[in-house]
C-alpha cells in the first residue's frame, strides 16, 4: 500500500538557490502578492497625483507671484513719485497704520539675504516675479528678489532682524508657523534702496507641492491595512478547503481512513474533492483486490505444491529427488514471502502515542536474552505511530543487524522537525553500489546468503513500506567508522517529549 500511495504525498520540489523572497504556503503568497499589488497601485497613483499636484502648484505660484509683482510695482512707482525727504514720513505712517501688505523700509545699500535655494516652487515664483516687474518697471536699474525664512531675515543695512521689530509692524509677516518671506529690493536712486517684504497669498505654498503629507500617508496606510485585512480573511476562506484536501491526502497516504471531504465551496474545489474521493475509493478497492488475489494465489498453490512434493518422493534417483525438493522448497518460500509482504505492509491498526524507550527496551531485552549484544540509550521521546507496524519495521532492521553484524546499537534522536531511530551494526557493511537496490524485495547480497540461508530478502522492503506508510523515510548507508546503519526518519509534528 505505501508504495502505491507514494504519489499522494506532497512532492519535495527543488528549491532555487535564491533568497527566500516568497513564503512557501499558498495563503502567504496570495497575501504577499495582494499587498504588493496594492502598494504598486498606490505608488502609481501617487506618482500621477504628485505630477498633477506639482503642475497645479506651479501654476498657482506663478499666478500669485504675478499679482504680487503688480502690487510691488505699484508701490515702487508710488515711492518713485515722492520726493526723497517724504519717503520716511510715508513709511512711518504705514507702520503706525498697520495692516499694510508690505513691510517697507529705505536702506542705503541692499540688505544681504540668505535666500532659499533648490525649491521648485520658489524658483517658478521668482521667475514670474522678475518677468512681471521687468515688464512693469522697465527703467528700474537694479532689482533683487529672493525668498528667505523670517528668523534669518534682516530688514536694514544696520543688521536689524525682522524678529526684532514691533509686533504691529510685522503682524502679517511673522506667523505662528514660519513661512517663507518674499523680499523685493529696488534701487530708487543712488543711495536709496526700497525694501519690500511680504508673504505669498498662500503663505505655506511650498507644502502644496509635497504629495507625501502626513494626512495622505495616514489615509493610504489605513486603506492598505483595510485591504490586507480583507485579503487575509478572503485568502483563508479560499485556502481552507485546500488545507483539508492536503490533510486528507496525507492521512490516506499513511494508510488511515479520513472522513469524506465536504462538497462545499467553489466549483473547482467541489470537483477536486469528488475526484479525490473517487480516486481514494478506486485505490482502496485495488488494495483489497490485491490482498485477496495474493491470499487466493497462496491458497491455490499449496495443493499443487503438496502434490509435487508427494510425487517427488516417488522418484527413484536420490540426486534427482533432492533437486526437485530444493526447487519446490524455493517455490514454497517465494509464495509465503509474497503473502508475508502483503500482510506485513498493510497492518490495519490505529495510530497512537508510542513511548520509544519502552518499545525499544523490550526488543533489546529479548535480543539480550537470546545471547546477542545490543545496546540502547533511553531518549525520553514519544512518537505517534501504529505500534505493531513500527515494532515490526524496527524488528526487521534489528534482525538484519544481528544476522550480519557482531553487535547492534540502537539510538533515538530529535532533529529539526523530525525524529530518527537509528539501528547500527558492526558488520562488514554494504558495497556503495548496492545501497540503491538494497530495500527492493528479494534482493540479497552474497555475504547475506552465506550467513542467513533461510532469508528471503524481504525485511528491508517491509520495513521501508511501513515507514513510508507513516509518512517517513528509511535511510540506508554505511557508518563512518564501519558497519551498516539504517535510520528511520519520521516527519515533524508527530513527536513530543515523553
Amino acid at each position: 500500500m505505501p508504495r502505491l500511495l507514494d504519489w499522494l504525498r506532497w512532492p519535495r520540489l527543488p528549491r532555487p538557490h535564491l533568497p527566500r523572497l516568497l513564503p512557501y504556503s499558498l495563503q502567504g503568497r496570495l497575501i504577499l502578492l495582494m499587498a504588493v499589488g496594492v502598494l504598486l497601485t498606490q505608488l502609481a497613483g501617487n506618482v500621477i497625483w504628485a505630477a498633477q499636484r506639482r503642475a497645479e502648484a506651479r501654476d498657482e505660484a506663478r499666478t500669485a507671484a504675478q499679482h504680487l509683482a503688480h502690487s510691488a510695482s505699484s508701490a515702487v512707482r508710488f515711492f518713485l513719485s515722492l520726493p526723497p525727504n517724504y519717503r520716511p514720513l510715508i513709511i512711518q505712517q504705514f507702520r503706525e497704520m498697520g495692516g499694510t501688505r508690505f513691510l517697507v523700509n529705505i536702506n542705503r545699500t541692499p540688505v544681504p539675504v540668505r535666500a532659499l535655494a533648490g525649491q521648485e516652487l520658489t524658483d517658478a515664483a521668482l521667475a514670474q516675479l522678475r518677468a512681471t516687474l521687468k515688464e512693469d518697471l522697465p527703467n528700474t536699474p537694479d532689482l533683487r528678489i529672493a525668498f528667505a525664512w523670517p528668523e534669518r531675515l534682516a530688514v536694514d543695512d544696520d543688521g536689524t532682524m525682522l524678529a526684532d521689530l514691533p509686533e504691529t509692524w510685522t503682524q502679517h509677516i511673522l506667523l505662528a508657523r514660519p513661512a517663507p518671506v518674499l523680499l523685493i529690493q529696488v534701487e530708487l536712486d543712488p543711495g536709496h534702496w526700497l525694501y519690500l517684504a511680504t508673504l505669498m497669498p498662500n503663505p505655506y505654498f511650498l507644502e502644496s507641492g509635497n504629495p507625501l503629507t502626513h494626512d495622505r500617508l495616514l489615509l493610504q496606510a489605513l486603506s492598505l491595512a483595510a485591504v490586507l485585512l480583507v485579503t487575509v480573511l478572503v485568502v483563508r476562506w479560499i485556502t481552507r478547503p485546500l488545507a483539508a484536501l492536503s490533510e486528507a491526502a496525507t492521512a490516506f497516504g499513511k494508510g488511515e481512513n479520513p472522513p469524506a471531504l465536504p462538497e462545499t465551496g467553489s466549483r473547482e474545489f467541489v470537483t477536486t474533492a469528488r475526484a479525490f474521493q473517487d480516486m481514494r475509493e478506486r485505490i482502496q478497492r485495488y488494495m483489497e483486490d490485491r490482498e485477496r488475489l495474493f491470499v487466493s494465489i497462496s491458497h491455490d498453490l499449496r495443493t499443487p505444491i503438496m502434490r509435487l512434493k508427494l510425487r517427488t518422493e516417488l522418484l527413484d534417483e536420490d540426486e534427482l529427488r533432492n533437486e526437485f525438493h530444493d526447487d519446490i522448497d524455493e517455490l514454497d518460500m517465494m509464495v509465503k514471502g509474497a503473502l508475508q509482504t502483503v500482510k506485513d505492509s498493510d497492518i490495519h491498526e490505529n495510530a497512537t502515542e508510542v513511548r520509544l524507550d519502552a518499545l525499544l527496551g523490550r526488543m533489546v531485552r529479548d535480543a539480550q536474552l537470546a545471547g546477542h549484544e545490543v545496546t540502547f540509550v533511553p531518549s525520553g521521546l514519544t512518537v505517534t505511530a501504529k505500534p505493531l507496524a513500527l515494532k515490526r519495521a524496527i524488528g526487521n532492521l534489528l534482525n538484519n543487524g544481528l544476522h550480519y553484524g557482531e553487535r547492534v546499537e540502537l539510538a533515538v534522536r530529535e532533529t529539526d522537525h523530525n525524529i530518527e531511530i537509528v539501528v547500527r551494526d558492526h558488520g562488514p557493511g554494504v558495497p556503495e553500489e548496492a545501497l540503491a537496490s538494497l530495500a527492493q524485495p528479494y534482493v540479497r547480497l552474497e555475504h547475506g546468503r552465506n550467513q542467513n540461508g533461510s532469508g528471503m530478502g524481504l525485511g528491508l522492503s517491509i520495513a521501508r513500506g511501513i515507514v513510508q506508510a507513516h509518512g517517513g523515510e528509511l535511510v540506508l548507508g554505511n557508518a563512518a567508522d564501519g558497519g551498516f546503519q539504517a535510520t528511520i526518519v519520521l516527519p515533524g509534528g508527530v513527536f513530543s517529549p515523553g
Side-chain angles (χ1 to χ4, degrees):
M1 177 176 180
R3 240 175 292 160
L4 293 175
L5 298 179
D6 282 347
W7 60 278
L8 283 176
R9 297 195 184 95
W10 295 110
R12 295 183 178 179
L13 299 176
R15 297 174 182 173
H17 300 286
L18 294 174
R20 182 177 173 180
L21 300 179
L22 289 176
Y24 293 129
S25 66
L26 178 60
Q27 176 176 334
R29 292 188 177 189
L30 289 177
I31 293 174
L32 178 61
L33 291 178
M34 289 292 293
V36 171
V38 173
L39 287 175
L40 291 178
T41 302
Q42 289 185 341
L43 179 61
N46 282 337
V47 170
I48 297 173
W49 180 84
Q52 294 176 347
R53 190 68 192 92
R54 282 196 297 269
E56 294 174 357
R58 283 195 300 269
D59 293 339
E60 292 173 359
R62 290 193 185 100
T63 302
Q66 187 176 25
H67 290 303
L68 271 179
H70 290 314
S71 298
S73 61
S74 298
V76 171
R77 284 193 295 267
F78 173 73
F79 279 96
L80 282 173
S81 65
L82 295 175
N85 55 344
Y86 275 37
R87 294 169 184 167
L89 297 176
I90 298 300
I91 293 174
Q92 185 62 32
Q93 290 179 0
F94 285 166
R95 293 173 179 174
E96 293 176 356
M97 289 170 53
T100 57
R101 181 162 196 170
F102 294 99
L103 173 68
V104 185
N105 198 16
I106 298 292
N107 299 307
R108 294 183 300 274
T109 59
V111 176
V113 179
R114 299 174 62 181
L116 289 176
Q119 297 283 347
E120 180 183 7
L121 293 182
T122 57
D123 293 343
L126 290 174
Q128 184 64 48
L129 281 164
R130 188 170 287 107
T132 304
L133 287 173
K134 288 292 185 182
E135 182 180 352
D136 292 348
L137 304 171
N139 298 321
T140 302
D142 200 356
L143 178 65
R144 300 187 182 187
I145 310 171
F147 281 98
W149 292 110
E151 64 270 12
R152 303 175 182 177
L153 185 60
V155 297
D156 58 27
D157 45 13
D158 294 332
T160 304
M161 305 301 293
L162 181 65
D164 298 332
L165 299 178
E167 184 179 354
T168 56
W169 296 9
T170 61
Q171 57 185 344
H172 297 292
I173 297 178
L174 293 180
L175 301 178
R177 181 157 60 96
V181 177
L182 172 62
L183 178 62
I184 302 174
Q185 299 185 84
V186 180
E187 187 179 19
L188 301 177
D189 45 58
H192 296 86
W193 282 80
L194 180 63
Y195 180 103
L196 301 175
T198 187
L199 294 174
M200 294 285 284
N202 175 17
Y204 309 108
F205 72 102
L206 291 181
E207 299 178 3
S208 62
N210 179 22
L212 299 179
T213 61
H214 292 85
D215 294 341
R216 184 169 180 82
L217 289 177
L218 178 61
L219 177 61
Q220 293 187 345
L222 291 177
S223 63
L224 178 61
V227 171
L228 287 180
L229 178 61
V230 174
T231 300
V232 170
L233 296 177
V234 172
V235 169
R236 290 186 62 182
W237 173 63
I238 293 175
T239 57
R240 187 180 295 113
L242 296 178
L245 177 61
S246 173
E247 294 174 358
T250 302
F252 185 54
K254 293 180 180 180
E256 302 174 3
N257 189 22
L261 293 172
E263 295 185 2
T264 58
S266 63
R267 180 180 59 186
E268 291 79 5
F269 175 75
V270 171
T271 303
T272 304
R274 291 174 179 172
F276 176 78
Q277 184 66 23
D278 293 341
M279 176 197 65
R280 187 172 67 176
E281 292 175 356
R282 287 196 301 270
I283 293 177
Q284 191 64 40
R285 288 195 301 268
Y286 174 79
M287 299 302 299
E288 294 173 356
D289 293 343
R290 187 195 71 160
E291 184 175 355
R292 285 194 296 268
L293 175 63
F294 272 90
V295 172
S296 300
I297 292 176
S298 176
H299 180 271
D300 293 342
L301 286 178
R302 288 177 182 175
T303 300
I305 290 175
M306 184 59 65
R307 286 201 303 265
L308 287 175
K309 286 184 177 181
L310 293 176
R311 291 174 182 174
T312 301
E313 295 295 333
L314 300 178
L315 295 176
D316 296 333
E317 298 182 15
D318 293 340
E319 182 177 356
L320 181 61
R321 185 170 58 250
N322 292 334
E323 291 178 356
F324 268 99
H325 271 301
D326 292 341
D327 291 340
I328 294 173
D329 289 341
E330 184 177 354
L331 177 62
D332 188 27
M333 184 179 300
M334 291 177 63
V335 172
K336 292 179 180 179
L339 184 61
Q340 180 186 1
T341 301
V342 175
K343 291 184 176 180
D344 287 350
S345 300
D346 191 17
I347 301 175
H348 300 285
E349 59 175 332
N350 295 325
T352 185
E353 188 177 87
V354 179
R355 295 183 175 272
L356 294 177
D357 289 349
L359 175 66
L360 297 177
R362 287 193 298 269
M363 299 175 69
V364 169
R365 287 193 295 271
D366 293 341
Q368 291 173 344
L369 289 176
H372 298 290
E373 184 178 354
V374 183
T375 60
F376 169 63
V377 178
S379 62
L381 294 174
T382 64
V383 64
T384 302
K386 298 179 178 180
L388 294 179
L390 183 60
K391 181 179 180 181
R392 186 162 298 171
I394 300 174
N396 287 348
L397 301 178
L398 179 60
N399 290 334
N400 280 348
L402 295 176
H403 277 299
Y404 307 126
E406 299 175 359
R407 65 182 187 277
V408 176
E409 298 174 359
L410 294 179
V412 179
R413 60 197 180 203
E414 181 180 349
T415 61
D416 293 338
H417 308 294
N418 288 324
I419 193 168
E420 298 181 353
I421 304 172
V422 182
V423 181
R424 186 251 173 118
D425 64 50
H426 289 265
V430 175
E432 293 293 333
E433 62 273 10
L435 289 175
S437 60
L438 192 60
Q440 296 180 3
Y442 304 107
V443 172
R444 305 191 67 203
L445 303 183
E446 183 64 29
H447 74 280
R449 288 190 292 267
N450 295 334
Q451 298 185 34
N452 184 16
S454 61
M456 294 178 291
L458 296 174
L460 291 179
S461 176
I462 293 173
R464 184 182 65 175
I466 293 175
V467 172
Q468 290 178 345
H470 282 78
E473 181 182 5
L474 179 62
V475 180
L476 305 177
N478 292 313
D481 52 350
F484 181 74
Q485 178 173 295
T487 304
I488 297 176
V489 181
L490 297 178
V494 298
F495 66 91
S496 59

